[in-house]
Amino acid sequence: MRPPDLMSSAWRCDHCGPTPPLHRTERISSEILTATTDRAAELGFPVWCLWPLPTGWTVTGVAWVGDERSGISATALACTGPSPLTDGPADLVFVAEELSVGLGARLAGLPGPDPGPQLSELAQSSEAHAKVRTGGRPTPLWALDTPDDRSVYVGEAMGRWLWAVAFPAPAGYLLTEPVELQDLAEWQPTELVFGASSPYLQG
């Protein structure tokens, strides 16, 4: 990635052309999360989080895509906790993004920036595989074919893609139960617990 310079006011990739940068933090805390959610709130952009968090789960990362010139085009938030179906921790990453950003697809291990034909076919041929609530509204999600080490659900909320990427794959079971996603840009619970940084928003 090349930063803006005298020749261009946009961040640029040598292969893709103008590309908004991904901003990640090395650690997570209430102050760091608030800095991101305040920025998102100014633009009406959601930052989705499981709420209430399941027992033993913590918020472990936040990221956003954009720059001062173009604003925010995607946000991501990671949660980590114990999974009764696997040994060791499980991670869930929630991504809200505009069309053609590609952060959700990257985390999902899929080519292309958007879920595309796979989601269109699923939505026409099957019932939703998960039904979460976003901002109090029912939101259907469909499971995509992805690498074996993760499970991925995708749908639409507030006019943007909503991705839920679970590591390892069995951790996706959490989304088969009724769950609520809270937009932290709208309201950040004071009871949020923070943990060590998730590797999925670091690499």
Side-chain angles (χ1 to χ4, degrees):
M1 290 285 290
R2 298 176 182 270
D5 54 27
L6 293 176
M7 302 299 294
S8 174
S9 61
W11 287 78
R12 306 179 306 288
C13 168
D14 290 339
H15 300 289
C16 306
T19 304
L22 172 63
H23 303 268
R24 298 168 293 199
T25 62
E26 294 184 359
R27 60 187 182 85
I28 186 67
S29 66
S30 177
E31 292 76 15
I32 290 171
L33 179 60
T34 297
T36 300
T37 56
D38 283 352
R39 181 186 296 268
E42 292 174 1
L43 300 171
F45 210 101
V47 180
W48 297 117
C49 178
L50 278 175
W51 188 255
L53 287 169
T55 302
W57 281 66
T58 61
V59 174
T60 54
V62 67
W64 61 279
V65 173
D67 56 29
E68 295 298 333
R69 182 178 65 91
S70 61
I72 289 178
S73 55
T75 61
L77 184 129
C79 301
T80 304
S83 171
L85 302 182
T86 62
D87 293 327
D91 289 80
L92 273 172
V93 183
F94 296 98
V95 176
E97 66 179 3
E98 304 285 5
L99 287 171
S100 301
V101 174
L103 177 58
R106 175 183 172 184
L107 289 166
L110 297 174
D114 298 308
Q118 188 179 165
L119 178 59
S120 296
E121 182 178 335
L122 286 169
Q124 293 174 9
S125 62
S126 69
E127 294 290 326
H129 301 121
K131 293 182 180 179
V132 303
R133 293 180 66 83
T134 56
R137 299 180 179 87
T139 302
L141 302 176
W142 284 266
L144 303 184
D145 290 330
T146 56
D148 292 341
D149 65 338
R150 70 202 75 183
S151 58
V152 176
Y153 294 83
V154 67
E156 177 273 328
M158 292 179 61
R160 301 175 175 90
W161 291 126
L162 168 60
W163 297 78
V165 186
F167 303 90
Y173 85 94
L174 281 171
L175 298 175
T176 64
E177 300 293 332
V179 297
E180 184 86 25
L181 299 186
Q182 170 64 38
D183 176 11
L184 299 185
E186 182 180 87
W187 174 65
Q188 184 175 320
T190 57
E191 302 91 343
L192 281 178
V193 180
F194 300 91
S197 295
S198 168
Y200 300 105
L201 290 184
Q202 296 301 313

